[in-house]
Amino acid sequence: MPEPLLQLKNICYSYHSLQMETPALSNVSFHIDTGEFVAIVGPSGCGKSTLLSIIAGLLSPEEGTIIFHNPDGSLHYPKIGYMLQRDHLLEWRTVYQNAILGLEINKMLTPENTDRVLQLMKDYDLYKFKDKKPSELSGGMKQRAALIRTLALNPGLLLLDEPFSALDYQTRLTVSSDICRIIRKTGKTALLITHDLSEAISLADRIIILSRRPATVKFEVPIRLSPPDDSPLASRNAPEFQYYFNLLWEALSDEKI
Ligand code: ADP
């Protein structure tokens, strides 16, 4: 049995100010296997973004351990890609210049890396827009460009913090489906935070449900939809979809969101 890519054990974290302490996470434990697409859902303000910041190394847990494994079982800290609600594309750079920004900052502008970016742009219908400015793209194209910028650095783990929530509902459906397709095709391991239960069910291999703050793992549910090879959009019509939706809805209703 291979070691999981990421293992969290009893993570605790509180915010402190002079006036008060705000416990955000309490004994959070779960794992993510290599190549898995895991979604986290939980009540608003329960600590989901805090958890991603801890996994990304932006915050240090007060208690608990985080372990990353290589496929051979050795320990390592992978490159982590972080995708946020907003695309944060820079308007004074072209779409291509935005896509290679991380490579530029990290002094990784090799022909091999730039060729990979151009290939991703070709694969995901952005190539003919590569010399445009971000404002000339649709919301969905901007998110695809942001994902390519993240993938350019070849991260071992992708953290997605509500990356579709700034999009209107219809765009959100197609963009989330597109982004999921890209992530699966590139074989990346991904952790998605979302408050949209249907989105979590249609995209993820497994869903982790958090309690209200301070968050702890309430339970996990593997998602098995038929037909399994269909697109995330089509999977919303799977016969099992409603069962999972009701399960999550009831779990989160107990948490009084
Ligand atoms: P979620 O992503 O689930 O909405 P967050 O992780 O953003 O939740 O926040 C968890 C809790 O911690 C919230 O109650 C929030 O108000 C509080 N919090 C977040 N950031 C800070 C901070 N910098 N200082 C104090 N409290 C914070």
Side-chain angles (χ1 to χ4, degrees):
M1 188 79 174
E3 297 284 1
L5 173 81
L6 166 66
Q7 199 159 16
L8 273 75
K9 291 185 183 170
N10 301 315
I11 299 295
C12 299
Y13 189 85
S14 299
Y15 291 98
H16 298 272
S17 69
L18 286 177
Q19 293 75 32
M20 61 189 288
E21 179 187 50
T22 309
L25 304 173
S26 168
N27 284 310
V28 174
S29 302
F30 63 85
H31 74 276
I32 303 180
D33 290 324
T34 302
E36 244 193 328
F37 194 127
V38 174
I40 291 188
V41 299
S44 179
C46 77
K48 300 182 292 298
S49 299
T50 305
L51 188 57
L52 280 204
S53 296
I54 286 177
I55 295 171
L58 303 173
L59 294 174
S60 299
E62 289 177 325
E63 286 177 43
T65 43
I66 300 183
I67 304 167
F68 288 98
H69 290 105
N70 276 318
D72 66 5
S74 60
L75 299 179
H76 80 134
Y77 196 85
K79 261 188 258 155
I80 291 184
Y82 213 143
M83 216 177 142
L84 304 162
Q85 289 181 12
R86 305 252 160 223
D87 52 69
H88 295 289
L89 297 174
L90 303 175
E91 185 53 30
W92 60 91
R93 293 175 73 103
T94 65
V95 174
Y96 173 69
Q97 287 167 341
N98 269 287
I100 60 166
L101 183 63
L103 292 175
E104 216 172 288
I105 291 170
N106 286 283
K107 301 195 176 1
M108 290 167 62
L109 267 183
T110 61
E112 188 192 343
N113 285 339
T114 51
D115 282 353
R116 203 176 63 246
V117 168
L118 289 170
Q119 190 57 50
L120 283 167
M121 296 184 96
K122 282 179 188 155
D123 290 348
Y124 302 113
D125 301 330
L126 277 178
Y127 188 76
K128 57 179 178 291
F129 301 95
K130 72 180 176 47
D131 299 320
K132 302 271 186 211
K133 291 290 165 60
S135 58
E136 297 175 83
L137 302 187
S138 68
M141 291 160 94
K142 285 188 209 169
Q143 276 307 62
R144 285 210 301 273
L147 179 64
I148 290 173
R149 180 187 56 197
T150 308
L151 291 176
L153 289 163
N154 203 13
L157 175 64
L158 271 175
L159 301 178
L160 310 164
D161 193 352
E162 301 255 14
F164 316 118
S165 59
L167 303 171
D168 65 79
Y169 183 67
Q170 222 158 357
T171 310
R172 183 181 180 130
L173 286 182
T174 46
V175 172
S176 60
S177 189
D178 277 358
I179 298 268
C180 180
R181 194 167 48 89
I182 297 171
I183 292 171
R184 289 200 184 278
K185 213 167 163 197
T186 50
K188 293 289 169 197
T189 309
L191 180 59
L192 166 76
I193 281 183
T194 178
H195 64 265
D196 183 331
L197 303 185
S198 300
E199 186 172 279
I201 299 164
S202 65
L203 301 182
D205 300 315
R206 183 157 54 94
I207 300 180
I208 295 170
I209 296 98
L210 297 181
S211 69
R212 64 174 175 270
R213 191 178 66 75
T216 193
V217 175
K218 244 187 120 158
F219 64 93
E220 299 182 15
V221 58
I223 303 296
R224 303 281 178 266
L225 298 173
S226 50
D229 296 330
D230 239 328
S231 73
L233 214 51
S235 70
R236 292 175 185 245
N237 295 321
E240 304 85 359
F241 195 90
Q242 196 60 40
Y243 161 77
Y244 289 120
F245 188 91
N246 292 343
L247 186 75
L248 297 179
W249 179 261
E250 278 171 27
L252 291 180
S253 300
D254 287 349
E255 298 301 319
K256 297 194 185 71
I257 34 175

